[in-house]
C-alpha cells in the first residue's frame, strides 16, 4: 500500500488545522491555478452556502464554481481571478451565485495566491461568505431616499454621504454621537480628520478605487472617536450619473472594536498555544488516525535527538524516536488502532535511548472527534518517568523504614497529654495525629487526616476562622526551633466550643527553605479560659458597682440613676434584659427602668411583672434573691408559665430593693434566648447593686421632700398673705427682670398703680375685717381681668395695688386700666362714706416707656405714682396716663 494517501496532496498546515477551519462560518477552499486539476480542498460549509455536499462537487474547480455564479457576474469574477493570478494582489469580489434550489444569493469572495507544498505550484486559497442579508439592506435603502433619511436618524449604524472629493453632505445622529461632533461642524468638511493617521493612505486609496466596475468597497480602519481610537467597518458605495461619473459617496459604518480585540486576542492566543505546544515539558505529537505523524513539538525532538523531517509524514512506530523492539512496535500499532476507534489509551513502556540507557516512559493517545463523532486526529503525549520511578522505589524503601519505627513512636506519642500532629502545608491536611484527639475533641486521627479542608475550616469559631486563610504564609518567616503559639476556639464533636492552645514548629522544608510540614501540639485550655472570663466578669462587676455608686453620689435624678444601672448590668452580665420593677402596696407596679437586647420589645408601659404575681414577698423582705436557671424546671402555675412565655423569659435572677423595711421594688435580670446557669458572683453583683439602688431611692425621696419644702417657702416669700397675689418683694424682683429684658429687646413696658378711694373712711365705717375682705375681693377681680401669663398683679402696700404689663404700649395699658376701674365698680361693694360714689372705686395712674440706660425702675414707679396723684387730684375714680418719661 502506498505510504501517501490522496488527501496528502493538501498542505501540512491544512491537515493539522482542518478541525478549526471547518468551524469558520464560510466556505474555505484551496485550489491549484490549473483548472484541469482536481479540487485540493473545499470545506463542508459548501452544503450550507449552495446546498451542495463537498463529495458531490465537480473536480474542475473554476468551471464548477462559475457554473453556479450568476451569468451577469461571471466575467467580472473571472477577470478578478486573472488579475490576482497576474499581479499576486489579494482577490476580493462580491457577486451573485445561484444555489442548487434556484435561489440567488450574494457572496463575498476573498482569496490569496500562495505556493503549494512543492513550492512551485500556485494555489488560490480563499474564503466565501454569504452577504445576501447585507445586499438586501443596501437594496432597500436605495428604494426610498426620503424614507431612508427618517430611518437613518434612528439607526445605530454610522451613516454618511459626501461628494467625490470627500466633503460631507449628510451624517446621521449616530455618526455625530460616535465622533462627539455637532452636525453643522461636520457638513462641508473633509472626512480626513476622523481617520486614524496611520490608516489614511490606505483608506484614501480604497475610496479612490470606487468605479462602475467596483461600485462598493468594504474598509476596516481605525478612527478618532469621542471614546478614543476605535476600529470601524465601512461599506462605501459610489453613486454614478448617466455618464458613469461618481456624483456621491454613501457610507454605512459600525464599531467593530470588540471584534478586532477578539481577533487580536485569538491571534495572540494562537501564538501562545503554539509556544506552549513547543515549550511544554511533555512530548506531544499530532497523528492521523492511521498513525502518520502530522506534527511534533520541539521538546520531543530535543529529547529524542532528531529533527522534524525524520518523523513528520512517517508512521509513528517507524519514526526514529528511540530503539524499540518489534513487540513494542506492535503494541504501538494496536494502541493507535484502538485510539482511531475512539478509545483513550495510556500505559507505561520501557525503551532503550540513543545512549543505550533504559528509559521508562508514560505513553497516552487521545482521539479528537468531529461533530459527527468521527475520529479526525490523534494527540499523543509522552513523559519520561525514569527518574520518577527511581524516586518512587527509593520512597517505598524509606516508607518501609519509617513504618518499622512508627509503632514505637506511636506508643510514645499516645502517652503525651496533648494532641500531637503533623500537618502537610502542600496538601493542606494533617498526615498524622496521636490518639489524644479523641479524648480532647472527640474526633479520631483518621477523621482529621481524611477530612475535607472546608470541613476543617468550619470547625473553627467564626471569629478565629481567619487562622485558616493562607496557612503557609504564617510559617514563611518562622525560623527553625522557633515556636508559633496560637489560641483559638474549635468545635468539639458534641457541638460545644473548646478553647485550644497550639504550639507549632517547622518540621520540614523544601530545597528553597520554604516550610512544607508543621509539627504541632494542641492543649485544652478551656478551664483556664473559663477562669479568665470569670475574673474579667468579677472585675467588671466591681467596676460597675463603683460606677453606679459614683453615679448615685453625683446625681439626685433617680430616673437617670436607674437607667444607668440597668444598662450597665446588662452589658456586664451579657443578659438579654435587665429591669427595675417598682411595687405598689396592692402588689401591682410599673417598670421604672429597662435595658433590652435587640429584637426584644419594650415593656415600660406594662403595669405587671410575672414575678410580682402570686408571690410570697416575705422571702424578698428578708433581702434574699430568687434564682431560676431554667424556667421550665420551676413549679409555676400554668397562668404564670403562659405569662413568662409572653415575656420570652427562659431564666431569671430576682433581687429585692429594700428602702429601709419597705420593699420598694425588684431588680430582675432575664435571659430570653435560652436557659442560663447563673454564677454565684453574678447573683452577688445584683444584690450589691440593688443595695446601691436603694440608697439612690432614699436620697431621691429626701431630695424631693427638700425641693417641695423649698418651693413652698419660695411661694410664701413672694405672696401677699391677705390677698394671695404677689407681694411687694415679688413686684420689685419681677419689675427689675422685665426692665432688663425689655431694655435689651427695646420693647415697651407699662406700669399701673391703683389706690382704693377713701379707704380709711371705709375701714372706719366697716371695720378692719371688712376692709380686709374688700381688698381680697379687689385682688380676685384683678386676677380675673389680668390673664396674660407675662403680666403681674401685686399688692404694693395697704390699699394700693400694682400691675406690670410687659410688651404693652400706653394705649394698651390705658385700656387695661379702664377695664380694671370698671371691673372694681361692677363689684358693687357698698361704700357709704365715699365722696365720689356709693360703692368702692379706684383711681389709677398709668405710665409706659421703652426702658433705656437713662432711667431706672424706681423712676418708672415714681412716674406712675405721680400719675396716680393727678388722678386723685382730678376727682378720683378715674385713670390718668403718662406715655413718655424724660430723665431728670
Amino acid at each position: 500500500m502506498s505510504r501517501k494517501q490522496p488527501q496528502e496532496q493538501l498542505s501540512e498546515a491544512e491537515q493539522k488545522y482542518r478541525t478549526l477551519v471547518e468551524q469558520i462560518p464560510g466556505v474555505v477552499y484551496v485550489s491549484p491555478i490549473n483548472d484541469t486539476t482536481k479540487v485540493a480542498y473545499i470545506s463542508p460549509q459548501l452544503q450550507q452556502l449552495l446546498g451542495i455536499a463537498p463529495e458531490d462537487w465537480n473536480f474542475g474547480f473554476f468551471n464548477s464554481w462559475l457554473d453556479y455564479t450568476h451569468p451577469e457576474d461571471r466575467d467580472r469574477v473571472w477577470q478578478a481571478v486573472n488579475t490576482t493570478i497576474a499581479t499576486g494582489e489579494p482577490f476580493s469580489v462580491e457577486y451573485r451565485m445561484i444555489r442548487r434550489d434556484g435561489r440567488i444569493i450574494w457572496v463575498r469572495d476573498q482569496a490569496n495566491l500562495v505556493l503549494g507544498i512543492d513550492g512551485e505550484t500556485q494555489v488560490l486559497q480563499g474564503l466565501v461568505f454569504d452577504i445576501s442579508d447585507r445586499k438586501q439592506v443596501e437594496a432597500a435603502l436605495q428604494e426610498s431616499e426620503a424614507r431612508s433619511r427618517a430611518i437613518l436618524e434612528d439607526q445605530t449604524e454610522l451613516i454618511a454621504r459626501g461628494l467625490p472629493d470627500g466633503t460631507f453632505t449628510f451624517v446621521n445622529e449616530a455618526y455625530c454621537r460616535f465622533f462627539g461632533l455637532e452636525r453643522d461642524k461636520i457638513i462641508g468638511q473633509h472626512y480626513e480628520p476622523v481617520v486614524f493617521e496611520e490608516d489614511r493612505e490606505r483608506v484614501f486609496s480604497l475610496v479612490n478605487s470606487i468605479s462602475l466596475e467596483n461600485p462598493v468597497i468594504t474598509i476596516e480602519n481605525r478612527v478618532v472617536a469621542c471614546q478614543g481610537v476605535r476600529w470601524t467597518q465601512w461599506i462605501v458605495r459610489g453613486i454614478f450619473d448617466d455618464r458613469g461619473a461618481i456624483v456621491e459617496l454613501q457610507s454605512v459604518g459600525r464599531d467593530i472594536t470588540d471584534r478586532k480585540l477578539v481577533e487580536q486576542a485569538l491571534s495572540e492566543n494562537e501564538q501562545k498555544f503554539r509556544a506552549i505546544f513547543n515549550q511544554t515539558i511533555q512530548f506531544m505529537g499530532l497523528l492521523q488516525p492511521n498513525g502518520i505523524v502530522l506534527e511534533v513539538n520541539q521538546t520531543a525532538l530535543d529529547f529524542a535527538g532528531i529533527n522534524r523531517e525524520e518523523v513528520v509524514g512517517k508512521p509513528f512506530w517507524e519514526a526514529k524516536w528511540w530503539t524499540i523492539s518489534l513487540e513494542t512496535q506492535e503494541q504501538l500499532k494496536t494502541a493507535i488502532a484502538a485510539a482511531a476507534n475512539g478509545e483513550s489509551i495510556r500505559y507505561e513502556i520501557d525503551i532503550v535511548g540513543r545512549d543505550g540507557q533504559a528509559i521508562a516512559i508514560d505513553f497516552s493517545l487521545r482521539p479528537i472527534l468531529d461533530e459527527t463523532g468521527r475520529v479526525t486526529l490523534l494527540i499523543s503525549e509522552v513523559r519520561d518517568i525514569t527518574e520518577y520511578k527511581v524516586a518512587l522505589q527509593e520512597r517505598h524503601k524509606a516508607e518501609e523504614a519509617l513504618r518499622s519505627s512508627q509503632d514505637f513512636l506511636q506508643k510514645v506519642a499516645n502517652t503525651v497529654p496533648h494532641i500531637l500532629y503533623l500537618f502537610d502545608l502542600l496538601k493542606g491536611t494533617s498526615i498524622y495525629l496521636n490518639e489524644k484527639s479523641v479524648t480532647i475533641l472527640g474526633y479520631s486521627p483518621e477523621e482529621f487526616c481524611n477530612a475535607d479542608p472546608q470541613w476543617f475550616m468550619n470547625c473553627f469559631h467564626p471569629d478565629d476562622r481567619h487562622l485558616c486563610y493562607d496557612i503557609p504564609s504564617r510559617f514563611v518567616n518562622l525560623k527553625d526551633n522557633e515556636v508559633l503559639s496560637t489560641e483559638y476556639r474549635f468545635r468539639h464533636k458534641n457541638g460545644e466550643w473548646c478553647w485550644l492552645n497550639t504550639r507549632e514548629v517547622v518540621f520540614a522544608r523544601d530545597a528553597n527553605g520554604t516550610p512544607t510540614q508543621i509539627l504541632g501540639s494542641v492543649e485544652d485550655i478551656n478551664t483556664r479560659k473559663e477562669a479568665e472570663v470569670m475574673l474579667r466578669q468579677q472585675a467588671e462587676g466591681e467596676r460597675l458597682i463603683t460606677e453606679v455608686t459614683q453615679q448615685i453620689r453625683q446625681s439626685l435624678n433617680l430616673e437617670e440613676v436607674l437607667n444607668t444601672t440597668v444598662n450597665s448590668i446588662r452589658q456586664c452580665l451579657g443578659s438579654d434584659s435587665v429591669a427595675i420593677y417598682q411595687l405598689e402596696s396592692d402588689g401591682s407596679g410599673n417598670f421604672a427602668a429597662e435595658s433590652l437586647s435587640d429584637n426584644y420589645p419594650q415593656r415600660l408601659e406594662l403595669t405587671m411583672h410575672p414575678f410580682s404575681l402570686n408571690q410570697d414577698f416575705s422571702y424578698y423582705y428578708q433581702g434574699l434573691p430568687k434564682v431560676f436557671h431554667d424556667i421550665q424546671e420551676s413549679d409555676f402555675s400554668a397562668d404564670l408559665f403562659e405569662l413568662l412565655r409572653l415575656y420570652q423569659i427562659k431564666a431569671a435572677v430576682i433581687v429585692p430593693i429594700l428602702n429601709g423595711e419597705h420593699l420598694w421594688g425588684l431588680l430582675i435580670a432575664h435571659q430570653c434566648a435560652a436557659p442560663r446557669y447563673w454564677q454565684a458572683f453574678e447573683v452577688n453583683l445584683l444584690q450589691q447593686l440593688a443595695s446601691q439602688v436603694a440608697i439612690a431611692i432614699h436620697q431621691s425621696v429626701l431630695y424631693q421632700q427638700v425641693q417641695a419644702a423649698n418651693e413652698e417657702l419660695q411661694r410664701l416669700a413672694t405672696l401677699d398673705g391677705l390677698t394671695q397675689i404677689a407681694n411687694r418683694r415679688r413686684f420689685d424682683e419681677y419689675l427689675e427682670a422685665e426692665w432688663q429684658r425689655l431694655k435689651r429687646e427695646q420693647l415697651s413696658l407699662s406700669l399701673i398703680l391703683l389706690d382704693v378711694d377713701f379707704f380709711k373712711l371705709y375701714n372706719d365705717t366697716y371695720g378692719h375685717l371688712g376692709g380686709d375682705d374688700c381688698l381680697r375681693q379687689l385682688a380676685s377681680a384683678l386676677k380675673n381681668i389680668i390673664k396674660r401669663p407675662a403680666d403681674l398683679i401685686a399688692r404694693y402696700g395697704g390699699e394700693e395695688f400694682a400691675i406690670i404689663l410687659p410688651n404693652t404700649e400706653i394705649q394698651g395699658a390705658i385700656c387695661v386700666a379702664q377695664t380694671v376701674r370698671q371691673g372694681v365698680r361692677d363689684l358693687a361693694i357698698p361704700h357709704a362714706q365715699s365722696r365720689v360714689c356709693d360703692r368702692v372705686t379706684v383711681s389709677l395712674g398709668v405710665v409706659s416707656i421703652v426702658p433705656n440706660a437713662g432711667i431706672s425702675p424706681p423712676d418708672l414707679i415714681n412716674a406712675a405714682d405721680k400719675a396716680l396723684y393727678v388722678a386723685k387730684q382730678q376727682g378720683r375714680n378715674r385713670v390718668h396716663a403718662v406715655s413718655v418719661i424724660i430723665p431728670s
Side-chain angles (χ1 to χ4, degrees):
M1 183 178 65
S2 172
R3 295 175 58 186
K4 291 290 183 177
Q5 301 297 323
Q7 291 184 349
E8 291 178 356
Q9 297 175 14
L10 298 173
S11 67
E12 296 176 6
E14 289 172 319
Q15 292 181 16
K16 289 186 292 182
Y17 298 110
R18 176 177 299 184
T19 301
L20 294 176
V21 166
E22 291 178 353
Q23 301 302 315
I24 296 174
V27 176
V28 178
Y29 63 86
V30 179
S31 176
I33 297 304
N34 185 348
D35 59 3
T36 63
T37 304
K38 293 183 179 180
V39 175
Y41 175 74
I42 191 163
S43 66
Q45 287 88 333
L46 182 67
Q47 175 76 46
Q48 183 178 356
L49 184 72
L50 297 179
I52 305 171
E55 56 268 21
D56 296 335
W57 187 251
N58 291 331
F59 291 122
F61 178 78
F62 290 111
N63 291 336
S64 297
W65 191 262
L66 289 175
D67 287 343
Y68 289 92
T69 303
H70 195 281
E72 296 178 6
D73 295 339
R74 288 174 184 169
D75 290 340
R76 181 164 56 87
V77 173
W78 184 246
Q79 183 180 355
V81 171
N82 289 329
T83 300
T84 296
I85 294 173
T87 64
E89 293 294 326
F91 172 76
S92 179
V93 182
E94 293 181 359
Y95 53 90
R96 289 164 292 180
M97 297 193 75
I98 304 173
R99 286 174 47 90
R100 173 168 284 182
D101 59 10
R103 184 164 58 89
I104 297 176
I105 62 172
W106 274 92
V107 299
R108 179 182 176 189
D109 192 344
Q110 294 178 288
N112 289 295
L113 195 64
V114 298
L115 291 178
I117 188 171
D118 57 6
E120 296 179 359
T121 304
Q122 287 186 315
V123 175
L124 196 64
Q125 179 175 304
L127 177 64
V128 180
F129 286 99
D130 185 344
I131 61 170
S132 299
D133 291 341
R134 176 168 65 78
K135 285 295 184 177
Q136 291 175 2
V137 171
E138 291 175 358
L141 288 174
Q142 293 174 355
E143 289 178 1
S144 174
E145 179 67 22
R147 183 178 62 188
S148 296
R149 180 176 294 273
I151 295 174
L152 290 180
E153 293 300 337
D154 296 328
Q155 293 297 309
T156 57
E157 285 83 1
L158 315 177
I159 300 175
R161 284 166 38 190
L163 300 176
D165 64 359
T167 302
F168 286 110
T169 59
F170 168 80
V171 292
N172 69 345
E173 284 297 325
Y175 189 100
C176 296
R177 288 194 301 271
F178 184 74
F179 288 100
L181 300 172
E182 296 179 5
R183 184 175 302 181
D184 57 0
K185 293 182 179 179
I186 301 176
I187 304 302
Q189 301 298 316
H190 197 275
Y191 66 82
E192 177 182 5
V194 301
V195 180
F196 190 66
E197 185 175 1
E198 295 179 7
D199 296 347
R200 287 176 184 171
E201 184 177 350
R202 177 171 59 86
V203 171
F204 296 162
S205 176
L206 288 171
V207 172
N208 292 334
S209 70
I210 295 175
S211 63
L212 278 174
E213 294 75 20
N214 185 31
V216 180
I217 63 170
T218 300
I219 308 174
E220 292 185 358
N221 64 278
R222 290 164 290 180
V223 297
V224 182
C226 63
Q227 296 180 353
V229 177
R230 307 286 291 179
W231 273 97
T232 55
Q233 182 188 71
W234 299 91
I235 299 174
V236 185
R237 174 181 294 276
I239 306 300
F240 303 88
D241 59 15
D242 295 339
R243 294 172 297 175
I246 297 178
V247 295
E248 186 178 53
L249 295 174
Q250 295 182 351
S251 302
V252 178
R254 60 190 180 94
D255 187 347
I256 61 170
T257 305
D258 292 341
R259 193 198 79 193
K260 281 291 186 179
L261 292 175
V262 171
E263 291 175 353
Q264 181 180 355
L266 287 174
S267 175
E268 292 174 353
N269 284 339
E270 182 180 355
Q271 296 175 11
K272 291 178 183 176
F273 293 148
R274 182 171 292 279
I276 292 171
F277 175 75
N278 283 316
Q279 296 176 14
T280 181
I281 61 173
Q282 293 188 177
F283 318 142
M284 299 184 67
L286 191 65
L287 315 179
Q288 290 182 356
N290 59 8
I292 300 299
V293 179
L294 296 176
E295 188 61 271
V296 64
N297 70 347
Q298 193 62 42
T299 304
L301 296 174
D302 293 342
F303 178 77
I306 57 179
N307 58 45
R308 190 170 178 276
E309 288 71 22
E310 292 182 84
V311 292
V312 172
K314 298 180 175 60
F316 185 82
W317 54 87
E318 293 181 2
K320 297 181 180 180
W321 300 105
W322 314 283
T323 302
I324 56 177
S325 64
L326 293 176
E327 181 182 355
T328 303
Q329 287 188 6
E330 291 302 319
Q331 188 177 8
L332 286 173
K333 290 180 182 180
T334 302
I336 290 173
N341 288 326
E343 295 184 35
S344 292
I345 306 298
R346 181 175 183 178
Y347 58 87
E348 295 179 7
I349 57 174
D350 293 326
I351 62 171
V352 179
R354 292 283 174 100
D355 58 0
Q357 298 294 320
I359 303 174
I361 63 171
D362 176 76
F363 177 76
S364 66
L365 282 170
R366 181 161 53 89
I368 302 300
L369 310 180
D370 63 14
E371 57 188 19
T372 65
R374 183 171 60 90
V375 176
T376 58
L377 292 172
L378 301 178
I379 295 178
S380 67
E381 296 181 66
V382 179
R383 289 189 303 145
D384 180 0
I385 58 172
T386 306
E387 294 181 358
Y388 167 76
K389 295 195 75 172
V390 171
L392 189 62
Q393 291 175 357
E394 293 297 324
R395 177 180 174 183
H396 287 163
K397 292 179 182 178
E399 288 176 348
E400 184 62 31
L402 179 62
R403 279 194 295 271
S404 66
S405 62
Q406 276 187 341
D407 289 342
F408 172 75
L409 294 176
Q410 185 68 44
K411 292 177 182 178
V412 173
N414 287 335
T415 61
V416 177
H418 304 152
I419 299 175
L420 295 180
Y421 66 90
L422 194 61
F423 188 84
D424 192 310
L425 292 174
L426 301 179
K427 297 179 181 178
T429 58
S430 297
I431 57 178
Y432 168 77
L433 281 94
N434 65 352
E435 296 296 334
K436 286 297 178 181
S437 63
V438 178
T439 306
I440 295 177
L441 294 174
Y443 298 104
S444 68
E446 292 74 21
E447 287 179 285
F448 271 114
C449 293
N450 298 327
D452 180 83
Q454 186 62 46
W455 171 87
F456 182 73
M457 180 183 295
N458 291 338
C459 286
F460 278 74
H461 191 279
D463 294 341
D464 302 327
R465 206 161 286 164
H466 63 278
L467 297 172
C468 301
Y469 304 150
D470 194 13
I471 293 178
S473 65
R474 299 174 54 216
F475 303 97
V476 168
N477 298 320
L478 202 65
K479 300 176 182 178
D480 289 341
N481 300 321
E482 183 179 356
V483 178
L484 179 64
S485 181
T486 310
E487 292 184 359
Y488 56 94
R489 284 153 293 184
F490 197 87
R491 193 191 309 276
H492 191 280
K493 195 169 186 178
N494 62 15
E496 297 180 357
W497 292 110
C498 298
W499 271 102
L500 304 176
N501 174 254
T502 294
R503 293 171 58 83
E504 297 168 305
V505 296
V506 176
F507 183 74
R509 300 179 186 271
D510 62 15
N512 297 322
T514 303
T516 58
Q517 291 183 345
I518 299 300
L519 177 64
S521 66
V522 180
E523 178 187 2
D524 182 353
I525 59 172
N526 261 329
T527 303
R528 192 192 83 195
K529 281 293 183 179
E530 290 173 357
E532 290 176 356
V533 170
M534 185 170 294
L535 286 174
R536 283 198 300 269
Q537 289 178 332
Q538 289 176 344
E540 180 65 16
E542 293 172 0
R543 183 199 62 77
L544 178 58
I545 292 172
T546 301
E547 180 182 297
V548 173
T549 301
Q550 291 176 348
Q551 177 73 18
I552 290 171
R553 292 174 180 173
Q554 295 172 1
S555 175
L556 293 173
N557 186 328
L558 181 60
E559 181 180 359
E560 181 181 338
V561 171
L562 297 183
N563 284 324
T564 298
T565 300
V566 294
N567 286 327
S568 300
I569 292 174
R570 188 176 66 79
Q571 293 176 8
C572 177
L573 298 184
S575 56
D576 294 328
S577 169
V578 176
I580 293 178
Y581 185 74
Q582 184 177 0
L583 290 166
E584 302 295 342
S585 58
D586 59 357
S588 64
N590 63 281
F591 284 88
E594 185 178 32
S595 177
L596 292 166
S597 297
D598 295 339
N599 303 323
Y600 292 105
Q602 288 281 349
R603 295 187 282 261
L604 291 174
E605 73 280 0
L606 302 179
T607 58
M608 65 178 179
H609 191 282
F611 295 118
S612 69
L613 302 177
N614 303 322
Q615 294 291 309
D616 182 6
F617 285 179
S618 62
Y619 198 76
Y620 294 137
Y621 275 105
Q622 298 176 42
L624 300 175
K626 287 191 175 182
V627 181
F628 300 99
H629 303 296
D630 187 348
I631 294 299
Q632 295 298 323
E633 296 178 357
S634 304
D635 57 351
F636 296 132
S637 65
D639 292 341
L640 186 53
F641 267 123
E642 179 60 25
L643 193 57
L644 289 168
R645 186 194 63 78
L646 180 64
Y647 277 58
Q648 303 181 44
I649 298 175
K650 303 289 179 62
V653 177
I654 306 100
V655 176
I657 301 174
L658 296 172
N659 185 13
E661 296 182 355
H662 170 62
L663 180 60
W664 184 88
L666 304 173
L667 173 59
I668 309 170
H670 302 120
Q671 200 67 20
C672 302
R676 171 174 177 169
Y677 184 83
W678 302 95
Q679 302 292 328
F681 83 90
E682 294 174 325
V683 178
N684 182 58
L685 171 65
L686 289 173
Q687 287 181 291
Q688 294 184 60
L689 290 172
S691 298
Q692 295 299 322
V693 171
I695 294 172
I697 292 169
H698 182 67
Q699 287 184 178
S700 177
V701 171
L702 292 178
Y703 175 72
Q704 291 173 4
Q705 291 174 350
V706 171
Q707 283 292 95
N710 288 337
E711 290 174 1
E712 180 62 19
L713 289 174
Q714 179 66 23
R715 188 184 68 82
L716 294 174
T718 58
L719 285 181
D720 176 64
L722 175 65
T723 60
Q724 293 300 300
I725 62 175
N727 59 15
R728 175 64 180 271
R729 176 182 176 183
R730 176 59 179 153
F731 169 82
D732 291 338
E733 292 174 351
Y734 192 70
L735 180 61
E736 177 66 26
E738 289 301 295
W739 180 274
Q740 296 300 331
R741 180 179 70 83
L742 295 171
K743 184 169 71 171
R744 289 192 303 271
E745 300 176 4
Q746 282 298 285
L747 297 174
S748 297
L749 173 64
S750 295
L751 175 65
I752 301 174
L753 287 182
L754 59 116
D755 195 15
V756 180
D757 293 330
F758 302 110
F759 189 68
K760 184 178 183 303
L761 296 177
Y762 188 91
N763 274 338
D764 292 343
T765 304
Y766 302 101
H768 288 288
L769 292 178
D772 290 346
D773 184 60
C774 176
L775 294 177
R776 279 193 290 268
Q777 291 186 63
L778 262 63
S780 179
L782 291 175
K783 287 193 286 186
N784 290 332
I785 295 171
I786 309 301
K787 294 184 177 181
R788 289 196 314 178
D791 297 340
L792 179 73
I793 309 163
R795 185 179 178 193
Y796 193 68
E799 72 278 14
E800 194 171 6
F801 294 85
I803 303 172
I804 299 175
L805 303 172
N807 300 324
T808 306
E809 296 180 350
I810 188 63
Q811 293 301 325
I814 292 172
C815 182
V816 173
Q818 290 291 5
T819 302
V820 169
R821 185 188 68 80
Q822 187 60 42
V824 173
R825 181 182 176 86
D826 290 345
L827 291 174
I829 302 174
H831 190 352
Q833 299 300 320
S834 175
R835 298 174 184 173
V836 295
C837 187
D838 60 353
R839 61 186 69 181
V840 172
T841 60
V842 291
S843 298
L844 302 96
V846 181
V847 66
S848 180
I849 191 172
V850 176
N852 57 73
I855 58 175
S856 63
D859 294 330
L860 184 65
I861 295 172
N862 289 336
D865 190 54
K866 289 179 181 179
L868 174 59
Y869 178 77
V870 172
K872 290 181 178 181
Q873 289 295 318
Q874 291 178 350
R876 289 188 170 85
N877 188 23
R878 66 187 63 240
V879 175
H880 182 74
V882 178
S883 60
V884 179
I885 301 176
I886 300 176
S888 55

